């Protein structure tokens, strides 16, 4: 996303929060951001596509910060998970997206409702992966049920605590309360061997996140090759930068191809280093490389 388009998303976000999505017209956005109608439609096919870009921009920023918390940490450390959950609450609060979620879900816009539902599926998928890392593979049959339960608990506890105690409610207190409850639930359902939803059901909800290992390796090789071509083209003068970036790509490939359990926190750290390269950060090839890895 170029800088001008990014500013339009930022200005639209402000308008949607201040006026509401439905009450904000495209003309309002044009006036506030200082762009022409032609430029707007060059960036977005509709106002709803712009709203999706608002959500995705906030989501991308949050996920980057959330992943950074894992770098060099024990993935099974529940305190790291609590910090990630705290970050999510603060991110949602600062971006003020809850009101937009609610406005969309009571609207008649089926496409946007489906988009929000898809975002929720992604959150459940992330929770399932983190619970598997925290509680171990023996708890895998129960991770989808528990991810849904935890998500529901968090949503309702934050909602009612904010009503009762705003602005003084303590997010950490709520998270620890819900984490303690989910630990007990994991123990209970595991002991009773009770399961409502198969963990693999998430593959039906998010088919683009799941593919065969061969498909992934092919896509990774293709995107890595394209990114290396860009590095050779853009980093001809700076030999040290070129070598560093090529080594990072090679490390990521080797981590996926040689290890049955790739060290995700190291891969994310390497991706972060690539994304900070001034010559690479805005290239389509880097975005594609990141997308292939994110969808693995």
């Amino acid at each position: 996303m170029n800088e001008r388009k990014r500013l339009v998303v930022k200005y639209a976000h402000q308008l949607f929060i201040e006026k509401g999505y439905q009450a904000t017209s495209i003309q309002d956005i044009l006036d506030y951001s200082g762009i022409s109608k032609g430029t707007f439609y060059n960036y977005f096919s509709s106002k709803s596509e712009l709203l999706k870009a608002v959500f995705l921009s906030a989501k991308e920023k949050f996920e980057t910060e959330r992943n950074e918390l894992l770098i060099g940490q024990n993935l099974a450390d529940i305190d790291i998970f609590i910090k990630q959950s705290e970050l999510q609450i603060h991110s949602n609060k600062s971006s003020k997206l809850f009101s937009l979620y609610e406005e969309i879900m009571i609207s008649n816009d089926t496409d946007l409702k489906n988009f929000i539902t898809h975002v929720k599926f992604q959150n459940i998928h992330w929770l399932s992966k983190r619970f598997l890392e925290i509680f171990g593979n023996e708890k895998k049959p129960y991770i989808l049920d528990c991810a849904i339960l935890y998500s529901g608990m968090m949503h309702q506890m934050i909602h009612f605590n904010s009503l009762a105690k705003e602005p003084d409610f303590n997010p950490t207190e709520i998270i620890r309360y819900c984490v303690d409850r989910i630990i007990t639930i994991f123990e209970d359902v595991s002991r009773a061997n009770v399961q409502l939803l198969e963990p693999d059901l998430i593959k039906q909800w998010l088919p683009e996140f799941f593919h065969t290992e061969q498909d992934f390796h092919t896509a990774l090789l293709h995107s890595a090759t394209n990114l290396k071509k860009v590095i050779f083209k853009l980093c001809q003068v700076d030999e040290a930068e070129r070598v560093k970036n090529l080594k990072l790509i090679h490390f990521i490939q080797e981590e996926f191809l040689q290890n049955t359990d790739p060290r995700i926190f190291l891969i994310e750290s390497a991706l972060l280093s690539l994304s900070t390269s001034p010559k690479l950060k805005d290239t389509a090839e880097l975005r594609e490389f990141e997308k292939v890895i994110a969808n693995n």
Side-chain angles (χ1 to χ4, degrees), residues 135-189:
F135 296 105
N137 201 57
E138 67 274 11
K139 297 292 193 296
K140 185 176 181 179
Y142 320 108
I143 58 170
L144 183 56
D145 289 342
C146 289
I148 293 169
L149 285 169
Y150 179 80
S151 177
M153 277 195 295
M154 283 290 294
H155 178 76
Q156 294 300 325
M157 291 301 290
I158 291 170
H159 175 70
F160 285 104
N161 272 268
S162 63
L163 287 177
K165 302 177 181 179
E166 185 71 30
D168 299 321
F169 81 96
N170 185 345
T172 304
E173 181 182 40
I174 295 171
I175 294 166
R176 289 193 178 277
Y177 176 89
C178 291
V179 166
D180 287 344
R181 302 292 77 73
I182 210 66
I183 290 173
T184 301
I185 291 171
F186 260 114
E187 292 172 352
D188 181 54
V189 296

XYZ file of all heavy atoms in Angstrom, residues 135-189:
453
model
N -0.589 -25.928 25.592
C -1.096 -27.095 26.332
C -0.608 -28.433 25.788
O -0.777 -29.467 26.434
C -2.623 -27.072 26.344
C -3.190 -25.895 27.081
C -3.747 -24.828 26.389
C -3.161 -25.831 28.459
C -4.263 -23.726 27.060
C -3.674 -24.745 29.145
C -4.219 -23.684 28.446
N -0.004 -28.432 24.602
C 0.575 -29.661 24.081
C -0.354 -30.436 23.160
O -1.577 -30.256 23.165
N 0.254 -31.324 22.374
C -0.473 -32.054 21.345
C -1.535 -32.995 21.913
O -2.529 -33.315 21.235
C 0.512 -32.860 20.498
C -0.050 -33.220 19.148
O -0.449 -32.350 18.386
N -0.089 -34.512 18.835
N -1.349 -33.432 23.173
C -2.353 -34.334 23.757
C -3.698 -33.649 23.966
O -4.730 -34.307 24.122
C -1.840 -34.897 25.090
C -1.672 -33.891 26.216
C -0.323 -33.193 26.182
O 0.393 -33.340 25.168
O 0.004 -32.525 27.177
N -3.694 -32.305 23.971
C -4.942 -31.552 24.142
C -5.540 -31.127 22.798
O -6.544 -30.404 22.763
C -4.701 -30.307 25.008
C -4.255 -30.613 26.434
C -5.359 -31.282 27.241
C -5.062 -31.307 28.725
N -3.882 -32.119 29.072
N -4.947 -31.583 21.702
C -5.387 -31.144 20.377
C -6.875 -31.408 20.100
O -7.536 -30.572 19.472
C -4.536 -31.806 19.285
C -4.862 -31.296 17.887
C -3.933 -31.889 16.840
C -4.279 -31.346 15.454
N -3.350 -31.894 14.419
N -7.446 -32.540 20.535
C -8.872 -32.764 20.245
C -9.800 -31.680 20.792
O -10.928 -31.531 20.317
C -9.159 -34.120 20.915
C -7.834 -34.794 20.985
C -6.845 -33.697 21.224
N -9.332 -30.910 21.778
C -10.210 -29.963 22.465
C -9.882 -28.501 22.157
O -10.528 -27.595 22.691
C -10.117 -30.187 23.985
C -10.046 -31.651 24.355
C -8.862 -32.222 24.816
C -11.153 -32.489 24.180
C -8.775 -33.577 25.113
C -11.073 -33.841 24.477
C -9.887 -34.381 24.943
O -9.808 -35.729 25.232
N -8.872 -28.260 21.283
C -8.407 -26.879 21.124
C -9.438 -25.984 20.435
O -9.548 -24.804 20.788
C -7.059 -26.809 20.372
C -7.162 -27.451 18.990
C -5.944 -27.430 21.182
C -5.929 -27.191 18.120
N -10.192 -26.515 19.464
C -11.166 -25.656 18.781
C -12.300 -25.284 19.722
O -12.698 -24.113 19.789
C -11.705 -26.348 17.526
C -12.684 -25.513 16.689
C -12.057 -24.184 16.284
C -13.137 -26.288 15.452
N -12.820 -26.256 20.459
C -13.867 -25.964 21.450
C -13.383 -24.911 22.447
O -14.092 -23.942 22.739
C -14.254 -27.235 22.218
C -15.029 -28.228 21.368
O -15.559 -27.824 20.320
O -15.105 -29.407 21.767
N -12.177 -25.098 22.956
C -11.664 -24.199 23.996
C -11.308 -22.826 23.434
O -11.460 -21.815 24.128
C -10.452 -24.823 24.686
S -10.886 -26.226 25.756
N -10.865 -22.773 22.180
C -10.589 -21.483 21.550
C -11.873 -20.670 21.417
O -11.901 -19.459 21.680
C -9.950 -21.682 20.183
N -12.957 -21.332 21.036
C -14.248 -20.655 20.902
C -14.760 -20.204 22.269
O -15.258 -19.079 22.436
C -15.268 -21.583 20.207
C -14.843 -21.831 18.757
C -16.671 -20.978 20.246
C -15.611 -22.935 18.069
N -14.617 -21.073 23.270
C -15.047 -20.719 24.630
C -14.248 -19.528 25.164
O -14.819 -18.589 25.740
C -14.879 -21.922 25.559
C -15.901 -23.047 25.417
C -15.450 -24.268 26.211
C -17.278 -22.597 25.894
N -12.938 -19.560 24.958
C -12.091 -18.465 25.454
C -12.443 -17.152 24.762
O -12.548 -16.102 25.411
C -10.621 -18.797 25.230
C -9.679 -17.713 25.692
C -9.342 -17.590 27.040
C -9.141 -16.799 24.786
C -8.483 -16.591 27.474
C -8.285 -15.799 25.209
C -7.958 -15.692 26.555
O -7.123 -14.690 26.973
N -12.627 -17.210 23.443
C -12.981 -16.010 22.692
C -14.292 -15.418 23.191
O -14.410 -14.201 23.371
C -13.084 -16.344 21.191
O -13.480 -15.220 20.443
N -15.277 -16.286 23.422
C -16.569 -15.816 23.921
C -16.472 -15.227 25.316
O -17.065 -14.172 25.608
N -15.724 -15.892 26.190
C -15.542 -15.377 27.547
C -14.902 -14.006 27.531
O -15.348 -13.070 28.206
C -14.659 -16.339 28.367
C -15.387 -17.506 28.969
S -14.398 -18.315 30.259
C -13.022 -18.960 29.306
N -13.821 -13.875 26.760
C -13.106 -12.609 26.697
C -14.010 -11.493 26.184
O -14.049 -10.392 26.762
C -11.878 -12.750 25.798
C -10.715 -13.472 26.431
S -9.934 -12.486 27.737
C -9.289 -11.133 26.771
N -14.725 -11.766 25.121
C -15.586 -10.736 24.522
C -16.633 -10.246 25.514
O -16.817 -9.031 25.696
C -16.268 -11.298 23.268
C -17.200 -10.331 22.608
N -16.751 -9.279 21.840
C -18.555 -10.240 22.631
C -17.791 -8.590 21.403
N -18.891 -9.144 21.867
N -17.309 -11.181 26.164
C -18.386 -10.797 27.079
C -17.841 -10.171 28.367
O -18.417 -9.204 28.881
C -19.253 -12.019 27.406
C -20.022 -12.575 26.216
C -20.970 -11.543 25.615
O -21.548 -10.719 26.318
N -21.116 -11.589 24.298
N -16.739 -10.688 28.888
C -16.175 -10.124 30.113
C -15.670 -8.699 29.888
O -15.859 -7.817 30.737
C -15.049 -11.006 30.639
C -15.513 -12.367 31.173
S -16.699 -12.218 32.541
C -15.642 -11.591 33.847
N -15.042 -8.462 28.752
C -14.585 -7.102 28.440
C -15.779 -6.174 28.273
O -15.785 -5.044 28.793
C -13.722 -7.108 27.161
C -12.393 -7.808 27.428
C -13.473 -5.688 26.665
C -11.593 -8.078 26.176
N -16.798 -6.647 27.579
C -17.991 -5.822 27.335
C -18.648 -5.392 28.647
O -18.881 -4.200 28.871
C -18.988 -6.606 26.475
C -20.291 -5.904 26.274
N -20.417 -4.769 25.508
C -21.539 -6.166 26.771
C -21.676 -4.360 25.522
N -22.369 -5.192 26.277
N -18.908 -6.344 29.530
C -19.644 -6.016 30.749
C -18.769 -5.332 31.795
O -19.246 -4.499 32.564
C -20.315 -7.272 31.313
C -21.521 -7.689 30.525
C -21.466 -8.761 29.651
C -22.707 -6.979 30.631
C -22.577 -9.136 28.896
C -23.825 -7.339 29.888
C -23.760 -8.423 29.024
N -17.461 -5.656 31.818
C -16.566 -4.946 32.730
C -16.392 -3.489 32.304
O -16.299 -2.596 33.156
C -15.205 -5.638 32.805
C -15.158 -6.718 33.854
O -14.783 -6.477 35.002
N -15.554 -7.928 33.470
N -16.351 -3.252 30.995
C -16.228 -1.871 30.530
C -17.490 -1.078 30.837
O -17.425 0.110 31.168
C -15.933 -1.834 29.029
O -17.003 -2.393 28.282
N -18.648 -1.732 30.779
C -19.899 -1.059 31.151
C -19.928 -0.731 32.634
O -20.382 0.347 33.044
C -21.095 -1.955 30.806
C -21.460 -2.106 29.326
C -22.619 -3.096 29.178
C -21.818 -0.767 28.705
N -19.424 -1.649 33.446
C -19.502 -1.477 34.898
C -18.395 -0.602 35.462
O -18.607 0.114 36.447
C -19.479 -2.848 35.581
N -17.211 -0.651 34.834
C -16.049 -0.024 35.465
C -15.343 1.009 34.583
O -14.334 1.569 35.003
C -15.028 -1.100 35.853
C -15.573 -2.157 36.801
C -14.517 -3.220 37.077
C -15.026 -4.313 38.007
N -13.996 -5.347 38.246
N -15.810 1.231 33.373
C -15.158 2.183 32.478
C -14.969 3.535 33.155
O -15.909 4.055 33.766
C -15.999 2.344 31.201
C -15.386 3.209 30.127
C -14.193 2.557 29.462
O -14.146 1.326 29.369
O -13.298 3.305 29.059
N -13.788 4.175 33.105
C -12.623 3.724 32.333
C -11.604 2.974 33.179
O -10.438 2.903 32.823
C -12.034 5.055 31.845
C -12.288 5.979 33.005
C -13.597 5.533 33.626
N -12.030 2.432 34.312
C -11.077 1.882 35.289
C -10.929 0.363 35.254
O -10.253 -0.195 36.104
C -11.504 2.299 36.708
C -11.506 3.810 36.881
O -10.595 4.444 36.336
O -12.418 4.325 37.531
N -11.573 -0.325 34.316
C -11.468 -1.780 34.338
C -10.058 -2.203 33.939
O -9.374 -1.537 33.170
C -12.530 -2.428 33.454
C -12.208 -2.471 31.978
C -11.647 -3.604 31.412
C -12.485 -1.387 31.156
C -11.359 -3.660 30.063
C -12.207 -1.440 29.801
C -11.641 -2.569 29.253
N -9.634 -3.336 34.509
C -8.265 -3.814 34.353
C -8.220 -4.969 33.346
O -8.637 -6.083 33.665
C -7.732 -4.277 35.715
C -6.271 -4.679 35.653
O -5.705 -4.875 34.580
N -5.653 -4.802 36.820
N -7.700 -4.740 32.120
C -7.660 -5.809 31.117
C -6.882 -7.038 31.578
O -7.288 -8.172 31.322
C -6.970 -5.133 29.920
C -7.187 -3.681 30.111
C -7.180 -3.467 31.594
N -5.755 -6.821 32.282
C -4.937 -7.948 32.726
C -5.717 -8.835 33.689
O -5.621 -10.072 33.633
C -3.652 -7.444 33.405
O -2.946 -6.589 32.505
C -2.761 -8.607 33.811
N -6.488 -8.224 34.556
C -7.302 -8.981 35.501
C -8.311 -9.861 34.769
O -8.514 -11.031 35.115
C -8.030 -8.007 36.432
C -8.893 -8.675 37.487
C -9.624 -7.668 38.347
O -10.101 -6.644 37.814
O -9.726 -7.899 39.564
N -8.930 -9.304 33.729
C -9.910 -10.059 32.937
C -9.229 -11.210 32.205
O -9.738 -12.344 32.194
C -10.610 -9.130 31.935
C -11.444 -8.084 32.678
C -11.500 -9.933 30.986
C -11.989 -7.001 31.776
N -8.080 -10.924 31.591
C -7.377 -11.964 30.836
C -6.963 -13.112 31.749
O -7.176 -14.292 31.424
C -6.141 -11.368 30.138
C -6.569 -10.360 29.071
C -5.296 -12.474 29.501
C -5.449 -9.483 28.573
N -6.371 -12.793 32.896
C -5.928 -13.849 33.824
C -7.121 -14.655 34.335
O -7.029 -15.875 34.514
C -5.143 -13.233 34.988
C -3.779 -12.720 34.563
C -2.883 -12.406 35.736
N -1.564 -11.960 35.285
C -0.580 -12.766 34.939
N -0.748 -14.077 35.021
N 0.585 -12.288 34.532
N -8.244 -13.976 34.565
C -9.459 -14.673 34.991
C -9.880 -15.679 33.914
O -10.161 -16.857 34.212
C -10.576 -13.665 35.248
C -11.905 -14.284 35.609
C -12.226 -14.561 36.940
C -12.843 -14.601 34.625
C -13.448 -15.140 37.272
C -14.055 -15.181 34.954
C -14.363 -15.442 36.271
O -15.565 -16.014 36.603
N -9.925 -15.225 32.645
C -10.360 -16.105 31.556
C -9.339 -17.214 31.282
O -9.720 -18.350 30.975
C -10.608 -15.278 30.287
S -12.040 -14.182 30.390
N -8.049 -16.892 31.404
C -7.012 -17.912 31.212
C -7.120 -18.992 32.286
O -7.040 -20.190 31.995
C -5.607 -17.266 31.223
C -4.523 -18.339 31.378
C -5.367 -16.488 29.941
N -7.317 -18.590 33.530
C -7.484 -19.568 34.610
C -8.689 -20.464 34.351
O -8.651 -21.675 34.609
C -7.652 -18.861 35.955
C -6.354 -18.250 36.459
O -5.291 -18.627 35.935
O -6.400 -17.386 37.362
N -9.778 -19.858 33.848
C -10.974 -20.653 33.564
C -10.714 -21.650 32.425
O -11.152 -22.792 32.474
C -12.148 -19.738 33.186
C -12.549 -18.681 34.203
C -13.162 -19.232 35.473
N -12.215 -19.794 36.406
C -11.363 -19.064 37.155
N -11.309 -17.749 37.047
N -10.559 -19.661 38.015
N -9.985 -21.200 31.381
C -9.769 -22.081 30.234
C -8.810 -23.210 30.592
O -8.924 -24.324 30.060
C -9.282 -21.279 29.000
C -9.761 -21.964 27.700
C -7.769 -21.142 28.965
C -11.231 -21.961 27.486
N -7.872 -22.966 31.507
C -6.992 -24.046 31.985
C -7.836 -25.128 32.655
O -7.650 -26.336 32.401
C -5.939 -23.490 32.965
C -4.928 -22.624 32.217
C -5.224 -24.628 33.691
C -3.957 -21.890 33.123
N -8.757 -24.700 33.487
C -9.648 -25.651 34.164
C -10.514 -26.400 33.162
O -10.726 -27.613 33.284
C -10.547 -24.911 35.178
O -9.719 -24.240 36.131
C -11.464 -25.887 35.905
N -11.012 -25.690 32.164
C -11.862 -26.323 31.149
C -11.069 -27.354 30.355
O -11.564 -28.453 30.074
C -12.480 -25.255 30.217
C -13.516 -24.422 30.990
C -13.136 -25.912 29.002
C -14.021 -23.223 30.222
N -9.832 -27.018 29.982
C -8.986 -27.982 29.270
C -8.814 -29.255 30.096
O -8.914 -30.375 29.568
C -7.618 -27.374 28.967
C -7.457 -26.860 27.559
C -7.301 -25.504 27.310
C -7.443 -27.739 26.491
C -7.140 -25.036 26.017
C -7.283 -27.281 25.186
C -7.127 -25.912 24.957
N -8.550 -29.090 31.383
C -8.371 -30.257 32.254
C -9.656 -31.079 32.342
O -9.631 -32.313 32.301
C -7.946 -29.791 33.653
C -6.548 -29.170 33.687
C -6.225 -28.537 35.030
O -7.147 -28.461 35.874
O -5.067 -28.129 35.233
N -10.785 -30.377 32.433
C -12.073 -31.055 32.595
C -12.470 -31.829 31.342
O -12.819 -33.013 31.413
C -13.150 -30.017 32.944
C -14.512 -30.658 33.145
O -14.608 -31.589 33.965
O -15.475 -30.226 32.490
N -12.400 -31.181 30.163
C -12.820 -31.866 28.935
C -11.846 -32.972 28.561
O -12.241 -33.993 27.988
C -12.991 -30.867 27.768
C -14.111 -29.873 28.055
C -11.693 -30.139 27.458
